[in-house]
């Protein structure tokens, strides 16, 4: 965390503590988000502006999120599922149909991206796009030879250079792992045909010789400290680390990759919907969205905020890749029952 962020946070905590000593218990908003996916100063600002308390928890996969929100002991108001999981939550009847009149800043969103979001939420009724991004490979330049990276290919995961070194990880995410092998072999990442999955399996069996763990969180520290040398990773998470460490690198494989849009939703079971709507509208506000995009290093679907970003960010092809590259990527779609085939293959690879 930067020094200015720490100072701002301390000041806001001080104001919040002063206000909280004035009596009355405050309303509480329970938020459940991916880790490293919001500027923490914004959380404090919202608490101060709305005289409320935010109980903030994080997860590192859509699957863990679903398991938690389905367990009776946990109750959350606002959650951040990826597109395919918006469909899954919607079909399970867990999402609030959003009242747009309460979202005065909704108009800031990019209408082209809202249309794209209709593949998982057909009338943009249950979800508000939050950030979009891509998955690629993070590496530590101190250990990974430049000539291996120069190929910019998924094949680096199975390169003999890493054999017996225990230095390669992939995400703990069935869709991402199987998806990488599918795209590498020229298939659509949503293809669950026998031929596609048999080919993906062959590739993954070969890569697996190098893979030490499937993990979606610790790579952010382990690539910088050399525990891991190469990791399948989410672009913004890596860019946050790269800003502080020149030895880190990241590339989007030339064969293409996964493309996802994460979204904000209110759970139907939310006990504090008014406050939840306020929080969604706060995230959509142009300056909030701009600052959040700068902090997280992910691509914003907020058109008004995007216009305010520096050219450095707008022209960063690791955040906003060319149309040519995006054409080689696949949005992770909900697959209904067919997802079981992907899960089974993933479990089999993990057991190896
Ligand atoms: C944030 C990771 C979000 C990307 N740390 C996964 N969709």
């Amino acid at each position: 965390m930067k020094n200015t962020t720490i100072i701002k946070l301390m000041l806001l905590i001080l104001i919040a503590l002063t206000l909280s000593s004035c009596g009355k218990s405050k309303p509480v908003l329970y938020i459940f988000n991916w880790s490293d996916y919001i500027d923490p100063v914004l959380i404090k600002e919202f608490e101060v502006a709305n005289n409320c308390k935010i109980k903030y928890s994080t997860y590192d996969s859509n699957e863990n999120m679903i398991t938690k929100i389905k367990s009776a002991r946990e109750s959350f108001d606002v959650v951040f599922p990826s597109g395919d999981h918006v469909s899954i939550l919607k079909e399970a009847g867990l999402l609030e149909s959003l009242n747009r009149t309460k979202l005065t800043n909704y108009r800031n969103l990019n209408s082209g991206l809202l249309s794209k979001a209709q593949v998982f939420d057909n009338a943009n009724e249950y979800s508000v796009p939050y950030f979009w991004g891509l998955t690629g490979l993070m590496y530590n330049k101190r250990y990974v030879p430049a000539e291996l990276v120069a190929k910019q290919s998924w094949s680096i995961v199975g390169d003999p250079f890493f054999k017996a070194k225990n230095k390669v990880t992939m995400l703990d995410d069935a869709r991402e792992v199987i998806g990488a092998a599918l795209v590498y072999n020229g298939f659509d990442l949503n293809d669950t045909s026998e031929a596609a999955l048999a080919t993906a399996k062959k590739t993954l069996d070969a890569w697996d010789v190098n893979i030490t763990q499937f993990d979606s969180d610790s790579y952010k520290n382990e690539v910088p400290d050399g525990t891991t040398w190469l990791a399948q990773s989410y672009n913004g998470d890596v860019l946050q680390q790269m800003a502080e460490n020149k030895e880190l690198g990241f590339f989007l494989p030339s064969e293409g990759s996964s493309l996802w849009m994460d979204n904000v939703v209110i759970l139907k079971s939310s006990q504090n919907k008014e406050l939840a709507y306020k929080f969604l509208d706060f995230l959509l506000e142009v300056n909030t969205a701009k600052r959040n995009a700068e902090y997280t290093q992910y691509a914003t679907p907020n058109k008004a905020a995007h216009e305010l970003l520096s050219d450095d960010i707008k022209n960063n092809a690791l955040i906003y890749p060319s149309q040519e590259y995006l054409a080689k990527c696949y949005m992770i779609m909900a697959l209904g029952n067919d997802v079981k085939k992907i899960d089974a293959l993933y479990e089999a690879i993990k057991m190896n």
Side-chain angles (χ1 to χ4, degrees):
M1 219 184 273
K2 288 190 213 115
N3 281 346
T4 48
T5 310
I6 295 172
I7 293 168
K8 276 193 232 164
L9 260 179
M10 282 167 60
L11 278 174
L12 285 160
I13 290 169
L14 201 67
I15 298 173
L17 283 175
T18 315
L19 287 174
S20 70
S21 57
C22 308
K24 280 232 206 127
S25 72
K26 295 177 178 185
V28 178
L29 188 68
Y30 291 86
I31 297 183
F32 199 26
N33 193 0
W34 296 85
S35 51
D36 303 313
Y37 216 25
I38 196 165
D39 179 347
V41 174
L42 296 176
I43 300 272
K44 286 288 157 212
E45 283 183 7
F46 184 83
E47 286 182 325
V48 171
N50 293 279
N51 196 23
C52 67
K53 171 86 200 128
I54 289 186
K55 292 252 167 109
Y56 192 84
S57 335
T58 59
Y59 52 88
D60 60 13
S61 75
N62 283 298
E63 288 73 16
N64 289 346
M65 175 271 290
I66 292 234
T67 309
K68 273 227 166 157
I69 68 169
K70 281 187 172 166
S71 91
R73 279 169 297 134
E74 305 283 348
S75 82
F76 298 102
D77 299 296
V78 177
V79 187
F80 295 71
S82 303
D84 57 328
H85 280 73
V86 168
S87 306
I88 292 169
L89 291 170
K90 183 176 87 174
E91 265 146 45
L94 296 172
L95 300 185
E96 164 83 354
S97 160
L98 297 174
N99 177 349
R100 291 247 195 96
T101 62
K102 293 183 193 281
L103 300 174
T104 58
N105 294 311
Y106 193 86
R107 60 176 186 277
N108 289 339
L109 289 169
N110 177 321
S111 53
L113 286 173
L114 280 172
S115 307
K116 292 214 166 88
Q118 290 173 2
V119 296
F120 54 80
D121 181 9
N122 59 355
N124 303 111
E125 187 185 340
Y126 297 93
S127 60
V128 173
Y130 181 60
F131 283 120
W132 61 272
L134 299 102
T135 299
L137 291 162
M138 174 189 199
Y139 58 95
N140 191 318
K141 295 176 196 166
R142 229 182 317 155
Y143 307 107
V144 181
E147 58 274 21
L148 285 192
V149 175
K151 288 193 242 158
Q152 305 265 299
S153 167
W154 282 114
S155 63
I156 192 173
V157 178
D159 196 282
F161 168 78
F162 294 103
K163 196 162 174 205
K165 291 197 168 79
N166 286 338
K167 293 295 177 187
V168 180
T169 67
M170 288 192 90
L171 290 167
D172 187 12
D173 182 323
R175 298 300 307 274
E176 292 285 7
V177 171
I178 311 298
L182 285 167
V183 173
Y184 171 62
N185 285 295
F187 290 100
D188 182 325
L189 172 148
N190 298 296
D191 191 340
T192 56
S193 67
E194 239 169 73
L197 292 184
T199 312
K201 180 178 182 320
K202 244 191 210 162
T203 296
L204 286 164
D205 283 341
W207 290 358
D208 199 33
V209 178
N210 290 340
I211 300 168
T212 50
Q213 65 169 337
F214 294 88
D215 150 78
S216 299
D217 217 26
S218 13
Y219 71 83
K220 290 178 248 176
N221 299 318
E222 291 186 351
V223 179
D225 74 18
T227 308
T228 297
W229 294 354
L230 177 80
Q232 186 189 24
S233 43
Y234 301 123
N235 57 342
D237 285 12
V238 182
L239 290 164
Q240 288 173 35
Q241 298 295 327
M242 281 168 72
E244 287 169 18
N245 185 339
K246 297 284 159 262
E247 288 187 313
L248 302 176
F250 177 77
F251 68 88
L252 294 168
S254 58
E255 296 91 352
S257 191
S258 69
L259 177 64
W260 30 263
M261 195 186 282
D262 295 328
N263 307 273
V264 203
V265 299
I266 300 177
L267 294 183
K268 206 184 246 173
S269 57
S270 162
Q271 298 297 303
N272 205 341
K273 291 197 179 131
E274 284 314 304
L275 200 52
Y277 273 109
K278 278 194 187 154
F279 187 72
L280 261 61
D281 208 34
F282 171 71
L283 290 179
L284 288 168
E285 194 275 322
V286 58
N287 281 302
T288 311
K290 170 187 177 265
R291 287 165 57 202
N292 209 16
E294 287 168 346
Y295 181 92
T296 63
Q297 300 283 303
Y298 280 101
T300 178
N302 190 308
K303 187 163 181 282
H306 180 259
E307 278 162 15
L308 300 182
L309 291 172
S310 69
D311 287 343
D312 270 3
I313 297 186
K314 283 195 274 198
N315 298 331
N316 187 338
L318 297 178
I319 306 177
Y320 299 96
S322 65
Q323 284 307 322
E324 189 194 350
Y325 188 76
L326 290 175
K328 293 192 276 190
C329 297
Y330 297 87
M331 176 94 101
I332 300 177
M333 304 289 292
L335 298 173
N337 246 344
D338 281 346
V339 80
K340 291 191 183 141
K341 297 186 210 165
I342 295 207
D343 289 342
L345 176 52
Y346 179 58
E347 288 310 320
I349 302 288
K350 269 172 93 172
M351 295 296 281
N352 269 350

